[in-house]
């Protein structure tokens, strides 16, 4: 199959989050299955500064309301993949991808409405006639709409797949603030008041809709988990599915990790204790090998469960435990964690920053990894934790429920600890259960760690599932 993969960021080129990881790993895995994949993305300033890519086709022009949007198409290569970049400086020659520091660009809707259409024009310009146009998140959610109204005949056999990586971000903007879309009267009749919801349009116009884990797909079909799009999802219920993301084990495997002090695997497991001591030293915690250490690396936001983490912290500090939290985000959360860490310097280390090195150190040096998310479409850190023999403590949502096996429910297959209710009491009880297991059953704890390390979620498996989804869309 020929697959046009339309996305706003790609790992190793530009990245702000997990979307970029998928946009690199999935096309590569599909390519390995024999499919011809071409990625289309914006030509951001950071790409221009790094690569100065050459143009690979004649300049193209799109029109809206007497305005001509002339853009160039530049070509990059990522491993065996062709990456085509839409070069329209008025929209993409900026410091950031979506924002300057903490302020989103006011014209993001206009920028990505244009890009969603320009991606198709790009495919035409190079005569790449796709079987599947695979779109990702709100930035490209209008591409299925533009595909549906194309009258050139070029995309007559093409079908669209829309992947929702995080349904909370929907691209909702006032229609009057999107000049590029004003001529499209079909969209004007589908507004929420005066606003257009990009994700809603993706759901309505794509041939197939999928989420990045089976459980998250089921949550999207419920009033509580649908991010206020329950009617749209239920109307397309037959076309909604979930495919679990894979994990890049070339970067997240303790046996070949350059960021940790001692490499290890299930057969040389003593290295994990050395990594724990190194993490304690780095975070200025007492070097206590028999005290359980819980790690956490994330954005400091409500989505990550801090509304029920913070109220139980003081109670957790009464236990024999060490807790390391690294991340940036909400200033109020940062302030709270800083104050608790000052009161309990031997038990809580909070670093308001992020680095790849620290993320790897925490995965390797912790006994447990805390990930009690309010919602989590797929999640990657729990996969990294399993690979490092660090048992996840998670809430039963999204991809967390799909990837972690709870000790209480399946003792002989367990890889971590799960709780259900989004409240402090349930979280604290789950953490206490994990700590008890650590102290009372040390041999079983190590066996569970090693079982976790054997767990694998590969992109090869994910690509095979996407291959089936593409065929369903086509036939």
């Amino acid at each position: 199959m020929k697959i046009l993969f339309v996305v706003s960021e790609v790992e190793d080129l530009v990245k702000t989050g997990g979307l970029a990881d998928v946009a690199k790993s999935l096309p590569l895995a599909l390519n390995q299955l024999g499919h011809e994949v071409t990625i289309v993305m914006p030509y951001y300033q950071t790409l221009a500064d790094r690569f100065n890519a050459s143009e690979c086709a004649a300049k193209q022009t799109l029109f809206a309301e007497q305005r001509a949007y002339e853009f160039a198409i530049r070509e990059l290569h990522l491993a065996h993949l062709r990456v085509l970049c839409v070069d329209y400086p008025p929209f993409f020659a900026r410091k950031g991808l979506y924002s300057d520091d903490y302020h989103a660009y006011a014209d993001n809707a206009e920028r990505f409405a244009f890009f969603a259409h320009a991606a198709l024009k790009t495919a035409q310009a190079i005569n790449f006639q796709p079987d599947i146009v695979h779109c990702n998140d709100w930035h490209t959610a209008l591409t299925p709409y533009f595909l549906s109204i194309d009258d050139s005949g070029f995309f007559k056999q093409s079908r669209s797949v829309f992947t929702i990586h995080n349904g909370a971000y929907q691209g909702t903007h006032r229609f009057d603030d999107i000049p590029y879309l004003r001529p499209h009267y079909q969209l004007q009749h589908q507004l929420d008041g005066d606003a257009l919801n990009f994700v809603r349009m993706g759901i309505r116009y794509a041939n197939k809709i999928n989420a990045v884990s089976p459980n998250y797909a089921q949550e999207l079909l419920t009033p509580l988990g649908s991010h206020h799009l329950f009617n749209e999802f239920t109307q397309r219920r037959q076309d909604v599915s979930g495919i679990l993301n894979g994990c890049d084990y070339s970067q997240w495997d303790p046996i070949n990790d350059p960021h940790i002090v001692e490499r290890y695997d299930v057969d040389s497991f003593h290295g994990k204790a050395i990594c724990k001591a190194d993490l304690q030293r780095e975070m200025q915690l007492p070097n206590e090998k028999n005290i359980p250490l819980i790690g956490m690396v994330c954005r400091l936001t409500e989505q990550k469960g801090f509304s029920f983490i913070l109220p139980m912290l003081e109670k957790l500090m009464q236990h024999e435990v060490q807790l390391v939290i690294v991340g940036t985000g909400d200033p109020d959360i940062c302030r709270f964690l800083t104050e608790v860490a000052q009161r309990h310097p031997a038990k809580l280390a909070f670093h308001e920053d992020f680095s790849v090195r620290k993320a790897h150190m925490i995965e390797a040096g912790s006994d447990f990894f805390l990930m009690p998310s309010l919602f989590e479409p797929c999640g990657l850190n729990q996969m990294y934790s399993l690979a490092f023999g660090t048992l996840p403590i998670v809430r039963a949502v999204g991809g967390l429920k799909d990837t972690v096996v709870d000790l209480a429910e399946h003792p002989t297959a367990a890889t971590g600890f799960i709780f259900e209710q989004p409240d402090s009491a349930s979280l604290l009880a789950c953490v206490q259960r994990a700590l008890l297991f650590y102290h009372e059953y040390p041999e079983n704890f190590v066996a569970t760690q090693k079982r976790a390390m054997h767990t694998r979620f590969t992109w090869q498996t994910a690509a095979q599932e996407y291959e089936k989804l593409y065929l369903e869309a086509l036939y």
Side-chain angles (χ1 to χ4, degrees):
M1 282 180 279
K2 288 187 174 182
I3 301 160
L4 187 72
F5 199 88
V6 188
V7 72
S8 61
E9 56 183 82
V10 180
E11 167 81 6
D12 292 343
L13 299 178
V14 290
K15 175 181 177 178
T16 67
L19 173 62
D21 298 312
V22 178
K24 172 191 172 185
S25 297
L26 177 56
L28 284 172
L30 289 166
N31 182 260
Q32 289 171 359
L33 288 177
H35 302 293
E36 185 179 352
V37 186
T38 294
I39 298 174
V40 180
M41 66 181 298
Y43 194 60
Y44 300 107
Q45 185 61 51
T46 182
L47 288 178
D49 292 342
R50 285 179 59 197
F51 298 104
N52 190 27
S54 59
E55 296 185 27
C56 64
K59 284 186 168 58
Q60 302 295 306
T61 306
L62 292 169
F63 297 93
E65 283 195 328
Q66 315 302 318
R67 177 178 172 182
Y69 298 72
E70 185 182 72
F71 65 95
I73 301 171
R74 299 185 182 273
E75 183 173 358
L76 296 170
H77 290 274
L78 182 65
H80 302 295
L81 298 173
R82 189 182 194 187
V83 182
L84 301 178
C85 301
V86 172
D87 182 13
Y88 186 64
F91 286 165
F92 302 122
R94 305 182 184 185
K95 176 183 176 183
L97 276 60
Y98 318 117
S99 63
D100 279 327
D101 299 323
Y102 296 104
H103 302 288
Y105 294 125
D107 62 345
N108 271 344
E110 172 80 347
R111 298 170 72 219
F112 288 102
F114 160 77
F115 170 67
H117 198 185
L120 297 178
K121 192 74 171 176
T122 297
Q124 279 185 283
I126 65 162
N127 198 33
F128 184 81
Q129 201 162 24
D131 299 295
I132 294 294
V133 179
H134 189 157
C135 313
N136 297 271
D137 269 354
W138 77 264
H139 320 87
T140 63
L142 289 180
T143 300
Y145 162 74
F146 288 117
L147 192 66
S148 74
I149 65 169
D150 181 77
D151 59 4
S152 69
F154 187 81
F155 297 101
K156 185 178 180 180
Q157 305 301 322
S158 302
R159 298 295 180 266
S160 59
V161 170
F162 177 45
T163 296
I164 298 172
H165 300 260
N166 191 334
Y169 300 100
Q170 299 177 8
T172 301
H173 302 269
R174 289 181 68 251
F175 192 80
D176 288 344
D177 293 337
I178 317 173
Y180 191 79
L181 296 181
R182 285 182 193 143
H184 295 269
Y185 299 105
Q186 304 97 315
L187 297 178
Q188 291 187 29
H189 298 302
Q190 303 185 63
L191 305 183
D192 295 325
D194 63 353
L196 183 72
N197 184 310
F198 281 43
V199 167
R200 177 178 277 119
M201 296 305 102
I203 297 167
R204 287 180 177 174
Y205 285 97
N207 295 106
K208 293 290 181 180
I209 305 109
N210 83 290
V212 289
S213 70
N215 191 58
Y216 188 51
Q218 291 303 308
E219 291 172 2
L220 293 175
L221 293 167
T222 67
L224 185 63
S226 62
H227 306 288
H228 308 292
L229 293 173
F230 178 65
N231 290 336
E232 280 68 26
F233 283 117
T234 52
Q235 288 171 10
R236 298 295 310 278
R237 177 181 292 271
Q238 298 304 314
D239 294 311
V240 176
S241 63
I243 298 174
L244 190 68
N245 281 343
C247 176
D248 185 354
Y249 293 105
S250 68
Q251 296 187 42
W252 295 94
D253 188 338
I255 198 60
N256 56 23
D257 192 326
H259 301 287
I260 60 178
V261 67
E262 184 75 15
R263 299 178 186 184
Y264 63 93
D265 61 13
V266 291
D267 297 318
S268 55
F269 201 61
H270 66 279
K272 186 165 179 64
I274 299 172
C275 290
K276 180 175 180 176
D278 186 56
L279 179 61
Q280 289 169 324
R281 178 197 56 76
E282 175 82 10
M283 300 297 170
Q284 298 182 11
L285 291 170
N287 183 358
E288 300 280 359
K289 66 179 182 179
N290 294 321
I291 289 183
L293 196 160
I294 303 172
M296 187 176 190
V297 182
C298 68
R299 299 188 313 278
L300 306 182
T301 64
E302 185 178 0
Q303 180 201 334
K304 297 303 179 182
F306 281 96
S307 61
F308 37 96
I309 293 174
L310 302 186
M312 68 92 187
L313 265 185
E314 284 292 348
K315 290 183 179 178
L316 179 60
M317 294 296 99
Q318 305 311 310
H319 293 271
E320 288 297 311
V321 68
Q322 292 178 342
L323 176 61
V324 172
I325 300 177
V326 170
T328 61
D330 189 316
D332 291 333
I333 296 175
C334 293
R335 191 176 307 111
F336 190 98
L337 293 173
T338 299
E339 292 172 356
V340 178
Q342 289 172 347
R343 289 194 295 273
H344 304 279
K347 293 189 174 183
L348 172 59
F350 168 58
H351 285 213
E352 187 183 355
D353 64 2
F354 174 81
S355 71
V356 172
R357 174 176 163 271
K358 283 183 181 176
H360 283 251
M361 288 180 68
I362 289 172
E363 292 290 6
S366 301
D367 299 299
F368 302 97
F369 192 91
L370 186 61
M371 203 169 174
S373 304
L374 191 61
F375 67 93
E376 195 67 58
C378 178
L380 290 172
N381 276 105
Q382 83 279 13
M383 297 184 187
Y384 305 156
S385 300
L386 293 168
F388 281 76
T390 300
L391 303 188
I393 300 171
V394 304
R395 201 166 85 80
V397 291
L400 303 180
K401 187 175 181 179
D402 287 321
T403 51
V404 179
V405 180
D406 183 65
L407 179 73
E409 293 195 11
H410 303 284
T412 60
T415 57
F417 301 84
I418 303 177
F419 69 102
E420 293 276 349
Q421 297 303 314
D423 58 57
S424 296
S426 299
L427 170 58
L428 181 60
C430 187
V431 174
Q432 289 170 331
R433 185 159 59 93
L435 298 180
L436 181 66
F437 183 60
Y438 176 93
H439 286 298
E440 297 294 326
Y441 305 97
E443 292 184 2
N444 288 346
F445 179 79
V446 172
T448 305
Q449 287 180 297
K450 293 184 176 183
R451 185 185 306 119
M453 294 180 74
H454 284 295
T455 306
R456 284 291 183 268
F457 304 96
T458 69
W459 277 112
Q460 288 71 29
T461 298
Q464 291 168 359
E465 292 299 312
Y466 274 102
E467 185 178 53
K468 294 175 186 176
L469 181 63
Y470 296 158
L471 290 172
E472 290 175 9
L474 287 168
Y475 305 110

